[in-house]
Amino acid sequence: KMSEVSEVITKADIKPKSMHRAKIWSDDVENLYRFQLAGYRDEVEYKQVKQVDEVECWPETGFVKKLQRRDNTFYYYNRQRECEDKDVHKVKVYVY
């Protein structure tokens, strides 16, 4: 049990070293877009805040399926691409 607790503590210390904006759409950019719509930086921050090990994804595409916001309401996403070309530049890509 102790190892799990210390693992969570070390995970909580992860902060990005730098950030840049996405230029072209990709699967990773799509998922970042979904996390940022729900109010998180990325999967790392979501897992820290919500204390979950796995994020629910669509098996066909691997895109995020459902996220819980900080106010505990849920965001549900389609299995197809949702981040349009005009929104790609708004997505922040964090480097650890």
Side-chain angles (χ1 to χ4, degrees), residues 27 34 57-65 77-80:
D27 290 359
R34 295 173 184 218
C57 294
W58 289 105
E60 308 86 8
T61 58
F63 296 150
V64 174
K65 183 176 186 178
Y77 300 100
N78 296 324
R79 53 171 61 86
Q80 288 89 23

Side-chain angles (χ1 to χ4, degrees), residues 6-96:
S6 58
E7 197 180 329
V8 169
I9 291 168
T10 51
K11 273 187 195 165
D13 294 337
I14 301 173
K15 293 272 184 284
K17 290 187 191 69
S18 64
M19 183 277 286
H20 62 274
R21 298 218 178 242
K23 302 226 178 350
I24 53 167
W25 184 89
S26 70
D27 290 359
D28 291 338
V29 168
E30 177 66 40
N31 279 333
L32 284 169
Y33 175 77
R34 295 173 184 218
F35 281 109
Q36 289 166 22
L37 265 184
Y40 301 94
R41 247 188 347 243
D42 52 22
E43 189 173 346
V44 175
E45 186 185 40
Y46 182 77
K47 287 179 173 179
Q48 282 173 209
V49 173
K50 289 296 169 193
Q51 302 285 303
V52 293
D53 293 327
E54 285 304 308
V55 176
E56 223 176 298
C57 294
W58 289 105
E60 308 86 8
T61 58
F63 296 150
V64 174
K65 183 176 186 178
K66 175 179 94 177
L67 292 174
Q68 190 173 11
R69 291 188 354 187
R70 291 170 195 268
D71 62 5
N72 292 330
T73 56
F74 283 94
Y75 268 16
Y76 295 92
Y77 300 100
N78 296 324
R79 53 171 61 86
Q80 288 89 23
R81 173 179 174 174
E82 287 193 18
C83 179
E84 294 178 37
D85 283 333
K86 65 179 173 57
D87 294 325
V88 167
H89 72 280
K90 297 177 189 168
V91 176
K92 295 175 181 173
V93 181
Y94 292 91
V95 181
Y96 291 92

